[in-house]
Amino acid sequence: MKPRVAVVGAGWAGLAAAVELAGRADVAVYEAGREPGGRARCSGRGDDRFDNGQHILLGAYAECLRLMRTVGADPDRLLLRRPLQWWRDGGVKLRCPRLPAPLHLLVGLLSADGLAWSDKLGLLRALGGLKAAGYRLPRDCSVADWLVERGQGDALVRDFWRPLVLSALNTPPEQASMQVLATVLRDSLGAGRADSDLLLPAADLSALFPEPAWRWLGERGAALHRGSRVRRLESGDGRPRVDGVEYDAVVLATAPYHAADLLDDAGLREKLAAYRYWPIATVYLRFDASPRLPAAMMGVSGGAADWLFDREALAGEAGLVAAVLSAPAELPEPAELARRVLGDVRRLAPHLGEPLQSKTIIEKRATFASAVGLERPGPLSPWRHIYLAGDWACPDYPATLEGAVRSGVAAAAAVMRDLRIERQ
């Protein structure tokens, strides 16, 4: 008899745990929403179907890529792989050639436009110092404080470091953990050349992993419950129950505030109460002409959005541009934000007229803040045979798809270890 394991939540973390456990256990997945994918999915119908955000993957996202292949989602077809580039109109323009690491980064930085030589050398010294220290800080501090200590210039901070931190951690540099950023830099810029590649979605987010994983699990006999919000999770006597149904183990892969409600534990509740959250706003503008932006992903120095994406160039979505604003200090009304973004787009593509369609999606608690000193729990909960998964439960990574998937894999590994399930 295979053990019975419930996975509560079908975001990327929950799906990763379920895929790892499929075939080794009888898996049931409970998802409150109508579609799997959590905060990285596509929703809507017809011309009103949009991703609820824009996600960039990196070549270093080994677990994301592995699990995509496992469920039959070919990364070579669904993701456009590009050598690391950083293009901000009116600011820094950097392209790394296809050379072995770290030569690719050295050549890219030295040939970058928009930076004084003093800034280029200062950036190389800062990155070199991180590498020499093994990407470990003697004590954690904010990114902003670390940048001051390393003498990073204003232009470098404005057009390189700040957009990087907002994209990678969705947390302002004044609050963001430098140790978390160092971990991301270790696995990307500090690793092999291919690890720093940008992997830009050439399909909607649901097609990358959630929908293929959902189908794959169903084909392997998993019990899939969409539109099923779990109301009660009980620890039992080593036999946890989900709304009264008994299982051998449960992977709780919900947002931390939902996990705190379902797990009645004062210590965990106090730890999760320390989490703070930042929004992400995504503006979609559809035009009657091809955007033809200078790059498929780029920014405008001093613009309204952090990054602009030419969705026609990336995914064949005719006339569509997406703009992302991460962790904004102030969030304008949707109509005003769309007006500002239109100004950015027209600066790059003056041939575009008024948009045929405008849609703004705001995820108010898009990610947790990767703040200095934030303690994260890992996969083990206070209760026997109940495990935690989610980007917030990955001790090292920020709120990214790779962090979510890694946490799901870690939770599944803990289940198999504790239930003595043999790997196949």
Side-chain angles (χ1 to χ4, degrees):
M1 293 282 295
K2 293 179 180 177
R4 301 178 69 239
V5 181
V7 177
V8 180
W12 286 56
L15 290 171
V19 168
E20 288 287 275
L21 291 165
R24 301 158 178 159
D26 288 332
V27 176
V29 182
Y30 295 86
E31 167 54 37
R34 292 178 296 177
E35 303 174 43
R39 287 167 288 127
R41 72 186 190 283
C42 188
S43 59
R45 295 182 178 180
D47 290 339
D48 196 42
R49 182 171 171 80
F50 296 98
D51 290 338
N52 66 336
Q54 299 294 299
H55 289 264
I56 307 164
L57 285 78
L58 298 175
Y61 284 10
E63 290 295 76
C64 278
L65 298 176
R66 178 179 70 84
L67 288 180
M68 285 177 67
R69 294 188 179 96
T70 296
V71 300
D74 182 8
D76 295 332
R77 180 176 60 85
L78 296 170
L79 299 169
L80 293 178
R81 181 180 283 268
R82 296 288 184 268
L84 177 64
Q85 62 181 31
W86 197 266
W87 187 319
R88 298 186 68 77
D89 188 72
V92 178
K93 295 178 183 177
L94 176 153
R95 290 179 183 271
C96 290
R98 293 184 182 276
L99 295 171
L103 189 59
H104 73 305
L105 182 60
L106 177 64
V107 172
L109 284 175
L110 293 180
S111 61
D113 293 329
L115 284 177
W117 276 102
S118 59
D119 283 333
K120 293 178 183 182
L121 296 176
L123 180 54
L124 285 172
R125 281 195 298 269
L127 294 175
L130 268 182
K131 184 172 184 177
Y135 295 94
R136 296 297 305 175
L137 275 67
R139 58 171 182 82
D140 197 7
C141 64
S142 73
V143 174
D145 287 345
W146 186 86
L147 295 177
V148 170
E149 292 173 3
R150 298 306 180 280
Q152 303 295 280
D154 292 343
L156 194 55
V157 171
R158 181 184 66 247
D159 282 324
F160 180 78
W161 285 110
R162 180 169 287 274
L164 173 66
V165 175
L166 291 176
S167 299
L169 276 62
N170 196 41
T171 307
E174 295 76 17
Q175 302 174 25
S177 163
M178 186 58 212
Q179 183 56 66
V180 174
L181 180 62
T183 301
V184 175
L185 294 173
R186 177 199 67 196
D187 292 350
S188 53
L189 297 183
R193 198 274 308 161
D195 293 311
S196 67
D197 284 351
L198 300 178
L199 306 182
L200 304 177
D204 66 60
L205 289 175
S206 291
L208 295 187
F209 181 62
E211 287 178 352
W214 193 261
R215 287 194 301 270
W216 187 90
L217 288 166
E219 291 166 357
R220 281 150 185 79
L224 304 177
H225 307 280
R226 68 172 85 210
S228 298
R229 182 177 295 279
V230 170
R231 305 293 180 182
R232 189 171 73 258
L233 180 58
E234 299 168 286
S235 62
D237 185 16
R239 299 273 294 178
R241 292 186 293 274
V242 176
D243 286 340
V245 180
E246 191 171 83
Y247 290 92
D248 295 294
V250 173
V251 175
L252 183 56
T254 65
Y257 35 88
H258 293 316
D261 291 337
L262 287 170
L263 278 179
D264 187 17
D265 178 81
L268 182 63
R269 187 181 295 274
E270 181 180 359
K271 182 174 289 189
L272 297 185
Y275 281 67
R276 297 293 179 265
Y277 304 90
W278 282 100
I280 294 178
T282 306
V283 177
Y284 290 96
L285 300 176
R286 193 185 301 276
F287 300 91
D288 62 358
S290 175
R292 301 197 306 273
L293 299 186
M297 171 190 163
M298 63 181 303
V300 173
S301 182
D306 298 314
W307 296 103
L308 300 171
F309 296 84
D310 186 336
R311 295 292 301 177
E312 182 173 320
L314 288 171
E317 296 167 324
L320 189 64
V321 174
V324 175
L325 181 61
S326 300
E330 58 94 16
L331 193 57
E333 290 297 314
E336 173 60 18
L337 180 57
R339 186 190 67 78
R340 296 182 190 180
V341 167
L342 179 59
D344 288 353
V345 174
R346 281 184 169 160
R347 173 172 162 178
L348 302 172
H351 66 281
L352 294 176
E354 287 296 314
L356 301 175
Q357 184 183 18
S358 174
K359 187 178 183 70
T360 300
I361 299 173
I362 298 175
E363 288 275 355
K364 293 184 177 179
R365 291 192 285 190
T367 69
F368 67 89
S370 292
V372 178
L374 179 67
E375 285 188 52
R376 288 185 264 168
L380 302 182
S381 84
W383 304 108
R384 188 168 176 240
H385 293 165
I386 296 177
Y387 306 85
L388 306 175
D391 53 11
W392 56 274
C394 181
D396 300 322
Y397 256 58
T400 58
L401 296 179
E402 180 71 2
V405 168
R406 287 189 183 196
S407 77
V409 171
V415 170
M416 289 187 284
R417 180 187 65 241
D418 291 350
L419 296 185
R420 298 180 180 177
I421 302 173
E422 293 186 5
R423 291 184 177 273
Q424 296 176 344

